[in-house]
Amino acid sequence: MSNTVIQVSSDLIHSMKKHYADSLLEKIPPGAVFAAKHNSCSITAYRSGKVMFQGKMHAEEAMKWGKPSDPPAKRKTSGSPLPPNISRMSLIGSDEVGTGDYFGPITVVSAYVKKEQIPLLKELGVKDSKDLSDIQIIKIAKDLLHVIPYSLLLLRNEKYNKLQASGMTQGKMKALLHNQALNNLLKKITPETPEAILIDQFVEADTYYRHLKGQAEIVKENVFFSTKGESVHIAVAAASILARYAFVKSFDDLSNEAEFTLPKGAGHQVDQAAAKLIKQKGEAALYKYAKVHFANTEKAKKLI
Ligand code: MN
């Protein structure tokens, strides 16, 4: 390894810049806050908080400021291996949002991106939705809605709770939703067909198809699965942005109905909000707002 990268706060970057004040370089690369050369080690700090140390003693110099960041987790694929040129194909990407949030629905979106549109989507700022704020997502989604064909499914809490109570796992619900969204979208774009379909992998391919057993129309042809699908093809990133957009909108509606801001996720704040809802509207009202089988329901009841 000829370099070390650490992730630090903007405050620390500020202190680092002071520390290297005598060794700062005039030319800095795009996106950088400063660049310095210190004891034949080059230091470049980026606005993202990443700081790269290169050259002699890079590890030792970096150690002064923080621990090297973990290498990015490896992608996993399941089922058929991905075609080598998949990122340049005309492709349907499929992703879901809301599965880990106690409040709010599950949204699933399949989105079709033709290869000629890939540069346009990059231009619009489409990238991994985890790197985008909700405000950025709303802005990009509003553009995307007019640019690409998609199918959006929203599984509201009442329906989710019914399915869950009948014994259906969340994994099966997701598989059914993805399959439905794919069917809808394939019909929408017909007679055109995508070169491939990529589902952001939430379960092994075998399990996915086991969940779909008995369904009338199972989309299987040219279907691939990969974790971190948004880094494989921009269509998955687009799908995830649209799914997040629909989730955030629906979540805001629920907050309006509840007459206070519901928190996302499934942490302690969520327990408190659920307790407040129970006190104000009664326990039965939860079915409309939340995935009631989550442990948060019991924790909320204990808080009352
Ligand atoms: Mn996903």
Side-chain angles (χ1 to χ4, degrees), residues 94-97 130 178 199-202 226 228-230 236 240:
S94 207
D95 198 12
E96 80 285 331
V97 167
K130 289 177 230 38
H178 277 280
I199 298 174
D200 192 37
Q201 186 179 316
F202 56 93
S226 175
K228 299 179 170 291
E230 63 286 326
V236 177
S240 110

Side-chain angles (χ1 to χ4, degrees), residues 13-49:
I13 287 190
H14 201 71
S15 316
M16 291 175 83
K17 192 174 177 182
K18 272 193 200 155
H19 176 87
Y20 294 116
D22 295 337
S23 340
L24 292 178
L25 302 175
E26 253 172 56
K27 268 187 86 172
I28 61 169
V33 182
F34 74 83
K37 186 128 187 158
H38 177 76
N39 297 340
S40 53
C41 177
S42 305
I43 301 118
T44 316
Y46 293 91
R47 279 196 290 271
S48 63

